[in-house]
Amino acid sequence: MKTRNLYLAVIAIAVLTIRYIGALPEFDERYAGSYVGQKLTVKGIVEEQPEEGEFYTQFKLEVSDFKYLDAWYPAKGTILIQTQKFSELNYGDVVEIVGVIDEPLRSDPRIAGFIKNPGIKIVKKEQENYFLSPFRQAQGKLFKLRGFLTGRLDAFLPSPSSGFAAGILFGVRSGIPREVTDDFKRAGLTHILALSGFNIVILIAFIENFLVFLPRKIANVLSLGFIFVFTLMVGAGASVVRAAIMGSLSLIAKMFGRHSSGLRLLFIAAFLMALFDPFIIFYDIGFQLSFAATLGLILFSGRLKKIFEKYPNQLGIKESFITTFAAQIFTLPLIFYYFKGFSILAPLANLIVLPFIPVLMLGSFLSIIFGKIAAAPTWIIFEIVLKIIHVFAELPFSFIDFGIS
């Protein structure tokens, strides 16, 4: 068995190495990254739903053409665009951009360049873009559905609770005030505001309980379909895709009466994701944190249970502590490396706050359906949780900031 696993690991590394080298961009006359430092007019498609910040709009443009001497020529590459608030943009729009291409903000072969505050002209709206693939058309409709659902949350929950709800349900953080996100950072709870494997596990559990009246195989098939659609709707971020693949493979194993190993599922998910996007391992922070947290859970939660087996599990506190601590063992070096600091109170803050998240997710979902009737008690819980987080954030030395630029 060990020999076979070693062979599989060697083959996987060889395949991913070949895939990585083959995916590296060619700096030819068509590649947008070849024109760094120059003012350029480019045309392309908005390849993800734009991110709406408090004072800016940011999106990725998949370049299709560039203009030279009043003529258009084929082009390629993805450019990161950051501009002042531009809420008219949507996924799938064809836009024309005029600006100076700078080096990407951080090294990432997937990004050819960065343009700040360019001139923007919408050439064709998503619904008029008949060249969109059926897949992209479907995802565009799902993004609109997400916008409608987050709008319902805004209508029935006051800020910042509505932004908090949109974050834990759909991964949308644009409605969360800066001071609230700072509190989450200082308390070591930023991961709660972004969709993660934890949220997906909760969703799968909700679905399985909701479909309990159906035959097992039918319920599993419906669950697989829901996971796929939900993953597309929330933007298919790395942590969500990783959890979705692992959850789907686990459900498929159940359908065929097979046992699934968490460690094996994790590496299969990582391999499939790296096969699709070979740069994700080295350049996607979300993937790295999600992989490390899951690996910590798989490798250390069992050992920690043995260490603490003599202690009672009152109200699930011991179980919560074990899972939280196991996940943070592996993520701490990454958090320190990327964010130049860490919260020393994160384990305790997670221990207290995480049990509220399933209740808040359910309450937020019910608020979308039933409006103020469900939103009122849900808002009270949100306020309690936000107060708890603020208390942790205000404690002396809650966050050790090394201030390394």
Side-chain angles (χ1 to χ4, degrees), residues 45-56:
I45 184 171
V46 179
E47 67 172 36
E48 292 179 354
Q49 188 66 15
E51 176 189 340
E52 297 288 342
E54 193 172 355
F55 304 108
Y56 68 88

Side-chain angles (χ1 to χ4, degrees), residues 34 66 148 156 171 180 204 206 254 270 331 351 386 405:
S34 300
F66 74 92
F148 169 76
F156 298 120
V180 175
I204 292 175
F206 281 161
K254 284 182 183 179
T331 57
L351 183 65
L386 287 168
S405 59

Side-chain angles (χ1 to χ4, degrees), residues 89-316:
L89 276 177
N90 287 295
Y91 170 85
D93 290 348
V94 176
V95 297
E96 190 176 304
I97 301 288
V98 181
V100 178
I101 299 182
D102 294 321
E103 291 280 356
L105 296 177
R106 61 187 181 87
S107 176
D108 187 339
R110 297 172 296 184
I111 305 298
F114 171 70
I115 300 180
K116 187 170 184 178
N117 294 327
I120 301 178
K121 178 175 130 182
I122 298 178
V123 177
K124 192 177 293 183
K125 292 298 292 179
E126 174 266 334
Q127 61 267 28
E128 303 167 350
N129 188 0
Y130 302 110
F131 296 100
L132 279 177
S133 67
F135 178 82
R136 280 189 161 176
Q137 289 179 21
Q139 191 167 31
K141 288 181 173 58
L142 288 172
F143 284 150
K144 288 181 180 178
L145 174 60
R146 182 179 68 176
F148 169 76
L149 297 175
T150 54
R152 293 276 295 176
L153 290 172
D154 289 335
F156 298 120
L157 287 168
S159 179
S161 297
S162 57
F164 192 173
I168 60 177
L169 274 187
F170 307 117
V172 177
R173 300 173 58 177
S174 57
I176 307 174
R178 178 66 180 270
E179 60 270 17
V180 175
T181 58
D182 286 344
D183 280 351
F184 275 83
K185 176 185 174 182
R186 293 185 61 83
L189 295 166
T190 304
H191 62 94
I192 291 176
L193 295 177
L195 278 178
S196 64
F198 179 69
N199 306 70
I200 299 299
V201 168
I202 293 171
L203 282 169
I204 292 175
F206 281 161
I207 298 165
E208 288 182 333
N209 288 322
F210 182 73
L211 301 176
V212 70
F213 62 93
L214 294 174
R216 179 68 60 84
K217 288 189 177 180
I218 294 177
N220 286 341
V221 170
L222 291 175
S223 297
L224 288 171
F226 180 86
I227 292 170
F228 178 74
V229 171
F230 180 80
T231 301
L232 291 182
M233 185 178 72
V234 299
S239 60
V240 176
V241 172
R242 192 273 310 156
I245 292 175
M246 291 184 68
S248 298
L249 291 175
S250 179
L251 285 174
I252 292 170
K254 284 182 183 179
M255 290 170 63
F256 291 95
R258 301 289 297 272
H259 172 71
S260 56
S261 162
L263 191 61
R264 184 177 300 169
L265 292 180
L266 176 61
F267 280 102
I268 290 174
F271 175 78
L272 293 175
M273 292 174 71
L275 200 60
F276 179 78
D277 179 359
F279 305 115
I280 197 171
I281 295 176
F282 301 106
Y283 300 100
D284 195 304
I285 299 173
F287 171 82
Q288 293 171 5
L289 289 171
S290 178
F291 181 88
T294 308
L295 188 62
L297 281 171
I298 294 170
L299 295 181
F300 282 96
S301 59
R303 297 181 183 182
L304 290 173
K305 283 179 183 178
K306 290 181 180 179
I307 294 174
F308 292 99
E309 62 182 353
K310 295 180 180 179
Y311 296 92
N313 188 31
Q314 297 292 338
L315 302 175

